[in-house]
Amino acid sequence: MPPSLPHPETHPETHPARHPWSHPPARPSRFELPAVDRALVWLRRDLRLEDHAALHAALGSARQVWCAFVFDSSILDPLPRQDRRVEFIHTSLVELDGRLRQLGSALLVRHGDPVAEIPALARQLGVQAVHVARDYEPAAVARDAQVRGELAHAGVALHSHKDQVIFEAGEVLTANATPYSVFTPYRNAWLKRLGAAQQAGRDPLLPLAVADRLAQHLAPVPAALERGLPSLSDLDFLPTPITTRLHPGESGGTALLSDFLDRIDAYADARDFPAVKGPSYLSVHLRFGTVSVRELVRQAHRRSEAGSRGAQVWLSELIWREFYQQLLHHHPRVVTHAFRPEYERIHWEHGAKADAHFAAWCEGRTGYPIVDAGMRQLRQTGYMHNRLRMIVASFLTKDLGLDWRRGEAWFAEQLNDFDLAANNGGWQWAASTGCDAQPWFRIFNPVSQSRKFDPDGRFIRRYVPELAGLDNASLHAPWQAPEIALASAGVTLGATYPLPIVDHAVARERTLQRYAVVKSG
C-alpha cells in the first residue's frame, strides 16, 4: 500500500493516440542458447508480442516457433462465474491471437492442468525447447518445477527468462549479500545497480527485439492441433459489465501509457486524490504483462533524470513493486505469516461481532463515508485507488481489530490487478506486521483522511450517492451533522445510511492495547 502502484481506469474514456516518442534501439540478444529446430513459448503473465523476453530468446535460437497459453483449471475452477480478470485475459488473448494469425501462425490455447498440457503440446509439436518468463509466486515456482521435470522426461529443455522485473531477488542485495528489508536502501541500491549496468553498456531497460523476427520464425499451427480460442462460455464464464473500461490487451496498455505520459509530471501531487485522474491505471497491465516493465521503467527513469518530480515518484513506486517481489522470494512464509514473527502474538477480534464487522466492511456499510466509498468502488469495478487501499486496510486492522489476512484474501478475490507480492506487502504494511511497515501506533483517522484527500466529497458522492445531498462540512462525518442538514439531504442515520459501527477514538485505544503485546514482548 505505500507504493501507489498505477491502476486500471474505472470510468469510460477514449483511447488517446500513441505518443510519438522515439524508442531506443533494441539491444542485441543476450541469450546464448543452443540452436534448435523447434521451440514453444508458453505465455503466462506476458500477454504481448513486443519487448518479450521468452519470445525474443525463442526467436533467436529456433527455426520454428509457436506460442501457447493454458487456462489453468486449478486457478479458474474456484472463481465465480463472472470474473473481470478472466475476461481481461480472454480479451487480451483474442487480440494476441489476431496478431499471430496475421503473421501466419496462431495461439495454441488449452484449458486444463499446464503440468499435463504443456508437455503434451511439446510432444505433439516435436519441439526441443520451451521458453517461459519466470514467475516468482510460490505456487508458480512449484508448478514450473513439475513442468520442467515432465519436459525433461521427454528430452525437452525448459528455459526461463527474466521479464516481470528489472532486477530479480538475488541481483540487489546488501553488502553482506543478504536481502533488504527496508525500502529506501533497497531503492538506492537498485538505482546504483541500474546506473552501473548502463555505464557498462548492459542497459537492462532496452527493449528486447521481437518484431523483426516474428514473420521469419513463427510457424503455422498444424491442423490437427488447431482448436481456436475458446469463448468465455466454453470456459464456463459469463461476460462482465466492466471489462471494456479496463482497456485490455497490448493496445490497451499502450494507450493508457501514452495518456499517462502526458500527465506524469503532475503524478506526485495528484496521485493521492481518488477523485482526480492522477495514477497511470496500468497495474492490471503490469499484472498480466500486456505492457513491458522495461518500457515503463525506461520512461520513468528518463523523465526522472530530466528533472520530473512526478516521474521520480512513479519510478519509486515501480521499484516498490520489485521490493515486494524480492521479499516474497526470500521470505515465502509471508504468504500466511507476519514478516515480523513477534506480531503473531496479536490477538485479533473473532466471533459473531467480528464477522458482522467484516461483512459491513466488505459491503461498504461501516458508517464511515470514505471507507464505504472505497469498498463499494472495489466491489463494483475491481479497482481501488491506492490512498483508499491504505485507509480501508488501516480501518479493518486498527479500527475493527480484524486480522489483516482476512482483508488480504478479500482483496485477492476482488482486485483486477491482484498480485500476491504487492497485495501481501501492502496489507502487512498497513497492519504494521511487515517489513518497513508503518509504526503500529500510527492509526489513520478515516475522517481526517477523508477531509484531506476528498475535500469536496466528489469521490464519496459518486460511490455513496445516498449522502450526495449533504454539504461538504457534513459529508465526511454525517453522524456529527446537524439534524437540519441531514433532513434537508434526505439522510436518516441507521436507515438510509448506517451509523458508524465503531467509534474511532475508542477503537484507537483498543488497538494501542492490542499491539502492546509486541512492545512488551
Side-chain angles (χ1 to χ4, degrees):
M1 302 208 182
S4 24
L5 291 175
H7 304 299
E9 184 59 276
T10 62
H11 55 345
E13 79 176 359
T14 56
H15 285 178
R18 184 180 176 89
H19 263 218
W21 61 73
S22 57
H23 285 282
R27 77 179 96 162
S29 177
R30 296 180 294 110
F31 305 107
E32 296 181 2
L33 297 170
V36 297
D37 185 56
R38 300 179 176 192
L40 176 66
V41 177
W42 175 19
L43 304 173
R44 293 101 66 88
R45 293 179 56 165
D46 47 357
L47 305 183
R48 64 184 188 280
L49 293 184
E50 302 297 332
D51 191 10
H52 192 292
L55 187 55
H56 171 82
L59 294 169
S61 60
R63 186 178 63 86
Q64 292 182 295
V65 175
W66 291 272
C67 296
F69 180 86
V70 179
F71 282 102
D72 190 333
S73 54
S74 68
I75 296 174
L76 267 58
D77 287 352
L79 297 177
R81 294 304 88 188
Q82 275 191 316
D83 191 285
R84 290 174 293 263
R85 295 164 296 192
V86 174
E87 191 168 2
F88 183 93
I89 292 170
H90 186 270
T91 307
S92 299
L93 292 178
V94 169
E95 179 182 300
L96 197 153
D97 179 58
R99 290 191 61 191
L100 290 174
R101 289 181 184 277
Q102 290 174 354
L103 295 166
S105 187
L107 184 64
L108 288 156
V109 180
R110 298 294 184 264
H111 180 200
D113 182 356
V115 176
E117 297 292 345
I118 291 300
L121 273 175
R123 289 192 300 269
Q124 292 161 353
L125 293 167
V127 304
Q128 293 84 45
V130 173
H131 294 264
V132 297
R134 277 193 282 279
D135 195 328
Y136 309 103
E137 295 185 2
V141 171
R143 174 203 62 201
D144 290 353
Q146 287 184 279
V147 172
R148 185 184 297 277
E150 293 296 322
L151 290 171
H153 287 311
V156 179
L158 178 66
H159 300 297
S160 66
H161 310 279
K162 178 174 63 173
D163 193 65
Q164 286 188 42
V165 295
I166 304 303
F167 295 122
E168 292 179 310
E171 294 186 280
V172 180
L173 298 171
T174 70
N176 296 323
T178 57
Y180 283 95
S181 60
V182 178
F183 173 70
T184 299
Y186 173 84
R187 180 192 61 200
N188 293 341
W190 191 101
L191 290 169
K192 182 178 180 180
R193 184 177 179 90
L194 175 62
Q198 290 175 327
Q199 289 182 1
R202 300 188 303 274
D203 190 349
L205 305 186
L206 289 178
L208 295 166
V210 170
D212 57 342
R213 301 178 184 179
L214 282 172
Q216 181 181 357
H217 294 287
L218 279 177
V221 172
L225 300 181
E226 171 66 275
R227 300 182 187 176
L229 193 68
S231 65
L232 275 178
S233 60
D234 291 334
L235 299 169
D236 198 25
F237 280 87
L238 298 171
T240 67
I242 197 71
T243 306
T244 54
R245 302 180 186 180
L246 297 180
H247 311 316
E250 193 169 1
S251 64
T254 297
L256 286 177
L257 176 59
S258 177
D259 175 71
F260 178 59
L261 292 178
D262 273 340
R263 49 190 176 80
I264 191 172
D265 292 342
Y267 175 77
D269 297 320
R271 66 181 182 136
D272 272 325
F273 299 89
V276 174
K277 189 179 178 182
S280 75
Y281 307 112
L282 280 163
S283 63
V284 68
H285 289 277
L286 269 172
R287 172 63 179 86
F288 296 113
T290 43
V291 293
S292 163
V293 69
R294 285 175 291 279
E295 182 168 11
L296 301 193
V297 174
R298 183 171 67 248
Q299 293 292 338
H301 185 256
R302 178 173 68 83
R303 291 165 184 251
S304 175
E305 292 289 288
S308 169
R309 180 170 171 264
Q312 182 182 20
V313 174
W314 192 52
L315 177 59
S316 286
E317 305 310 313
L318 293 170
I319 299 172
W320 263 107
R321 175 177 173 270
E322 299 201 4
F323 177 68
Y324 282 147
Q325 290 276 6
Q326 64 91 30
L327 177 71
L328 179 64
H329 171 83
H330 289 294
H331 307 282
R333 61 181 173 80
V334 299
V335 174
T336 54
H337 293 84
F339 174 79
R340 300 166 69 179
E342 64 270 25
Y343 281 79
E344 292 293 340
R345 297 198 296 267
I346 293 175
H347 175 75
W348 303 105
E349 297 295 326
H350 63 278
K353 184 177 180 180
D355 292 344
H357 281 175
F358 181 68
W361 178 83
C362 291
E363 295 165 11
R365 47 180 182 82
T366 67
Y368 286 87
I370 193 66
V371 174
D372 293 342
M375 296 305 296
R376 294 183 194 186
Q377 180 188 42
L378 177 63
R379 283 174 67 93
Q380 293 174 28
T381 70
Y383 164 78
M384 188 189 291
H385 188 277
N386 188 74
R387 169 56 56 175
L388 299 179
R389 297 188 194 205
M390 292 189 282
I391 293 171
V392 304
S394 178
F395 188 84
L396 183 80
T397 56
K398 295 182 177 179
D399 279 80
L400 302 183
L402 299 182
D403 194 329
W404 59 269
R405 282 162 282 232
R406 298 186 73 169
E408 182 198 29
W410 179 251
F411 271 30
E413 291 180 18
Q414 299 292 319
L415 285 172
N416 300 323
D417 63 0
F418 167 66
D419 176 274
L420 176 60
N423 194 48
N424 181 277
W427 271 97
Q428 294 221 41
W429 181 89
S432 303
T433 63
C435 67
D436 204 11
Q438 65 171 342
W440 59 269
F441 48 82
R442 181 186 178 195
I443 303 170
F444 281 5
N445 183 318
V447 176
S448 60
Q449 289 282 308
S450 182
R451 288 173 174 153
K452 182 175 181 180
F453 295 111
D454 191 29
D456 298 327
R458 288 168 52 200
F459 183 80
I460 290 173
R461 288 187 174 91
R462 180 179 177 188
Y463 286 100
V464 191
E466 60 267 41
L467 299 181
L470 285 175
D471 60 89
N472 290 346
S474 303
L475 182 65
H476 304 284
W479 64 92
Q480 296 175 354
E483 286 295 331
I484 190 172
L486 294 171
S488 63
V491 176
T492 303
L493 295 179
T496 61
Y497 185 72
L499 287 159
I501 59 175
V502 292
D503 180 295
H504 174 71
V506 174
R508 184 180 186 280
E509 291 304 314
R510 287 178 179 168
T511 292
L512 294 177
Q513 296 172 18
R514 187 188 318 279
Y515 278 75
V517 297
V518 177
K519 181 179 179 181
S520 63

